[in-house]
Short mmCIF file of all heavy atoms in Angstrom, two decimals:
data_model
loop_
_atom_site.label_atom_id
_atom_site.label_comp_id
_atom_site.label_asym_id
_atom_site.label_seq_id
_atom_site.Cartn_x
_atom_site.Cartn_y
_atom_site.Cartn_z
N VAL M 69 -20.39 1.87 -30.88
CA VAL M 69 -21.22 2.14 -29.66
C VAL M 69 -21.89 3.43 -29.85
O VAL M 69 -21.24 4.46 -30.28
CB VAL M 69 -20.23 2.19 -28.45
CG1 VAL M 69 -21.10 2.54 -27.24
CG2 VAL M 69 -19.52 0.83 -28.28
N SER M 90 -20.56 13.35 -26.94
CA SER M 90 -21.24 12.12 -27.44
C SER M 90 -20.26 11.17 -28.08
O SER M 90 -20.66 10.11 -28.62
CB SER M 90 -22.30 12.51 -28.42
OG SER M 90 -23.34 13.25 -27.71
N ARG M 112 0.43 16.54 -20.39
CA ARG M 112 -0.06 17.12 -21.63
C ARG M 112 -1.23 16.29 -22.20
O ARG M 112 -2.22 16.86 -22.68
CB ARG M 112 1.12 17.11 -22.61
CG ARG M 112 2.17 18.13 -22.35
CD ARG M 112 3.38 18.12 -23.39
NE ARG M 112 2.72 18.45 -24.71
CZ ARG M 112 2.44 19.70 -25.15
NH1 ARG M 112 2.61 20.69 -24.40
NH2 ARG M 112 1.95 19.83 -26.39
N GLU M 120 -18.26 2.85 -24.19
CA GLU M 120 -18.30 1.42 -24.17
C GLU M 120 -19.77 0.99 -24.04
O GLU M 120 -20.63 1.84 -23.70
CB GLU M 120 -17.48 0.81 -23.05
CG GLU M 120 -16.03 1.06 -23.14
CD GLU M 120 -15.24 0.32 -22.09
OE1 GLU M 120 -15.81 -0.36 -21.23
OE2 GLU M 120 -13.98 0.46 -22.08
N GLY M 139 -9.80 7.69 -3.80
CA GLY M 139 -8.59 7.63 -2.89
C GLY M 139 -7.45 6.74 -3.40
O GLY M 139 -6.41 6.75 -2.75
N SER M 149 -22.91 5.95 -14.35
CA SER M 149 -23.94 6.94 -13.89
C SER M 149 -23.22 8.29 -13.59
O SER M 149 -23.11 9.14 -14.45
CB SER M 149 -24.73 6.46 -12.70
OG SER M 149 -25.62 7.43 -12.26
N VAL M 166 -23.42 10.61 -16.79
CA VAL M 166 -23.96 10.07 -18.03
C VAL M 166 -25.45 10.46 -18.08
O VAL M 166 -26.23 10.17 -17.22
CB VAL M 166 -23.83 8.52 -18.12
CG1 VAL M 166 -24.49 8.02 -19.39
CG2 VAL M 166 -22.37 8.14 -18.04
N ASP M 227 -41.96 -42.29 -25.01
CA ASP M 227 -40.86 -43.01 -24.48
C ASP M 227 -39.52 -42.32 -24.74
O ASP M 227 -38.59 -42.24 -23.90
CB ASP M 227 -40.84 -44.44 -25.17
CG ASP M 227 -42.01 -45.26 -24.68
OD1 ASP M 227 -42.60 -44.94 -23.68
OD2 ASP M 227 -42.32 -46.27 -25.40
N HIS M 233 -35.31 -37.18 -21.10
CA HIS M 233 -35.38 -36.45 -19.82
C HIS M 233 -34.55 -37.13 -18.75
O HIS M 233 -33.84 -36.47 -17.98
CB HIS M 233 -36.82 -36.43 -19.37
CG HIS M 233 -37.07 -35.65 -18.09
ND1 HIS M 233 -36.74 -34.32 -17.98
CD2 HIS M 233 -37.52 -36.11 -16.87
CE1 HIS M 233 -37.06 -33.91 -16.74
NE2 HIS M 233 -37.53 -35.00 -16.03
N PHE M 241 -27.27 -33.78 -13.01
CA PHE M 241 -26.83 -34.15 -11.65
C PHE M 241 -25.34 -34.45 -11.62
O PHE M 241 -24.66 -34.11 -10.67
CB PHE M 241 -27.62 -35.33 -11.12
CG PHE M 241 -29.04 -35.02 -10.82
CD1 PHE M 241 -30.01 -35.99 -10.99
CD2 PHE M 241 -29.39 -33.75 -10.34
CE1 PHE M 241 -31.33 -35.70 -10.71
CE2 PHE M 241 -30.76 -33.44 -10.09
CZ PHE M 241 -31.70 -34.47 -10.23
N ILE M 244 -23.61 -31.13 -11.82
CA ILE M 244 -23.68 -30.47 -10.52
C ILE M 244 -22.71 -31.11 -9.50
O ILE M 244 -22.03 -30.46 -8.79
CB ILE M 244 -25.08 -30.46 -9.97
CG1 ILE M 244 -26.05 -29.64 -10.84
CG2 ILE M 244 -25.21 -30.06 -8.49
CD1 ILE M 244 -27.51 -29.70 -10.56
N LEU M 252 -15.13 -27.93 -4.12
CA LEU M 252 -14.53 -28.32 -2.89
C LEU M 252 -13.00 -28.39 -3.00
O LEU M 252 -12.25 -28.01 -2.05
CB LEU M 252 -15.04 -29.72 -2.42
CG LEU M 252 -16.47 -29.71 -1.91
CD1 LEU M 252 -17.01 -31.17 -1.71
CD2 LEU M 252 -16.65 -28.94 -0.58
N GLU M 264 -0.56 -22.03 4.20
CA GLU M 264 0.92 -22.00 3.92
C GLU M 264 1.43 -20.60 3.95
O GLU M 264 2.52 -20.36 4.44
CB GLU M 264 1.22 -22.70 2.62
CG GLU M 264 1.01 -24.18 2.60
CD GLU M 264 1.32 -24.75 1.23
OE1 GLU M 264 1.62 -24.04 0.27
OE2 GLU M 264 1.33 -26.09 1.17
N ALA M 272 8.81 -16.11 8.63
CA ALA M 272 9.61 -14.93 8.20
C ALA M 272 9.66 -13.99 9.38
O ALA M 272 10.66 -13.34 9.64
CB ALA M 272 8.96 -14.20 7.01
N ARG M 273 8.50 -13.76 10.07
CA ARG M 273 8.51 -12.83 11.24
C ARG M 273 9.44 -13.36 12.29
O ARG M 273 10.19 -12.52 12.91
CB ARG M 273 7.03 -12.74 11.74
CG ARG M 273 6.90 -11.74 12.83
CD ARG M 273 5.45 -11.72 13.33
NE ARG M 273 4.59 -11.09 12.39
CZ ARG M 273 3.65 -11.70 11.72
NH1 ARG M 273 3.51 -13.04 11.83
NH2 ARG M 273 2.88 -11.02 10.84
N LYS M 280 17.11 -9.63 14.70
CA LYS M 280 17.25 -8.45 15.58
C LYS M 280 17.87 -8.81 16.94
O LYS M 280 18.70 -8.07 17.47
CB LYS M 280 15.88 -7.81 15.86
CG LYS M 280 15.17 -7.34 14.57
CD LYS M 280 16.09 -6.54 13.66
CE LYS M 280 16.60 -5.21 14.26
NZ LYS M 280 17.56 -4.60 13.33
N ALA M 288 26.36 -5.19 21.13
CA ALA M 288 27.05 -5.33 22.44
C ALA M 288 28.51 -5.79 22.25
O ALA M 288 29.38 -5.26 22.96
CB ALA M 288 26.33 -6.33 23.30
N GLU M 290 30.37 -5.14 19.66
CA GLU M 290 31.12 -3.99 19.04
C GLU M 290 31.47 -3.01 20.13
O GLU M 290 32.52 -2.41 20.17
CB GLU M 290 30.32 -3.35 17.94
CG GLU M 290 30.29 -4.18 16.63
CD GLU M 290 29.33 -3.62 15.59
OE1 GLU M 290 28.43 -2.86 15.92
OE2 GLU M 290 29.58 -4.00 14.42
N LYS M 298 38.64 -5.75 23.87
CA LYS M 298 38.71 -5.54 22.43
C LYS M 298 38.86 -6.80 21.64
O LYS M 298 38.13 -7.03 20.65
CB LYS M 298 39.95 -4.60 22.14
CG LYS M 298 40.01 -4.24 20.65
CD LYS M 298 41.14 -3.24 20.40
CE LYS M 298 41.18 -2.82 18.92
NZ LYS M 298 42.26 -1.81 18.68
N PHE M 322 12.09 -15.26 1.89
CA PHE M 322 10.73 -15.31 2.42
C PHE M 322 9.94 -14.13 1.87
O PHE M 322 8.77 -14.30 1.45
CB PHE M 322 10.71 -15.22 3.95
CG PHE M 322 10.80 -16.62 4.62
CD1 PHE M 322 11.85 -16.86 5.47
CD2 PHE M 322 9.84 -17.54 4.46
CE1 PHE M 322 12.01 -18.11 6.07
CE2 PHE M 322 9.94 -18.81 5.05
CZ PHE M 322 10.99 -19.08 5.87
N ASP M 353 4.88 -6.51 10.19
CA ASP M 353 4.13 -5.99 11.37
C ASP M 353 3.73 -4.56 11.27
O ASP M 353 3.19 -3.98 12.20
CB ASP M 353 4.83 -6.26 12.70
CG ASP M 353 4.92 -7.77 13.06
OD1 ASP M 353 4.02 -8.49 12.59
OD2 ASP M 353 5.83 -8.15 13.80
N SER M 360 0.62 6.02 5.64
CA SER M 360 -0.07 7.35 5.44
C SER M 360 0.44 8.38 6.38
O SER M 360 0.55 9.56 5.98
CB SER M 360 -1.53 7.19 5.65
OG SER M 360 -1.84 6.72 6.92
N THR M 438 24.16 14.18 29.96
CA THR M 438 24.46 13.14 28.95
C THR M 438 25.83 13.35 28.34
O THR M 438 26.57 12.49 28.04
CB THR M 438 23.37 13.02 27.90
OG1 THR M 438 22.09 12.96 28.53
CG2 THR M 438 23.62 11.86 27.03
N SER M 480 21.60 -1.27 21.49
CA SER M 480 21.96 -2.63 22.01
C SER M 480 21.29 -2.93 23.33
O SER M 480 21.47 -4.07 23.82
CB SER M 480 23.47 -2.78 22.03
OG SER M 480 24.02 -1.92 23.02
N ILE M 539 12.12 12.24 11.29
CA ILE M 539 13.40 11.49 10.91
C ILE M 539 13.08 10.47 9.89
O ILE M 539 13.77 10.28 8.86
CB ILE M 539 14.09 10.99 12.18
CG1 ILE M 539 14.52 12.15 13.09
CG2 ILE M 539 15.30 10.14 11.76
CD1 ILE M 539 15.06 11.66 14.42
N GLY M 546 15.35 10.92 1.49
CA GLY M 546 16.79 10.84 1.20
C GLY M 546 17.14 9.64 0.32
O GLY M 546 18.13 9.69 -0.39
#
Side-chain angles (χ1 to χ4, degrees):
V69 176
S90 296
R112 288 183 59 79
E120 293 186 0
S149 178
V166 179
D227 291 343
H233 182 63
F241 290 148
I244 292 172
L252 288 173
E264 288 181 355
R273 185 181 289 110
K280 300 314 296 176
E290 287 174 337
K298 184 173 182 179
F322 273 119
D353 287 338
S360 61
T438 309
S480 62
I539 295 172

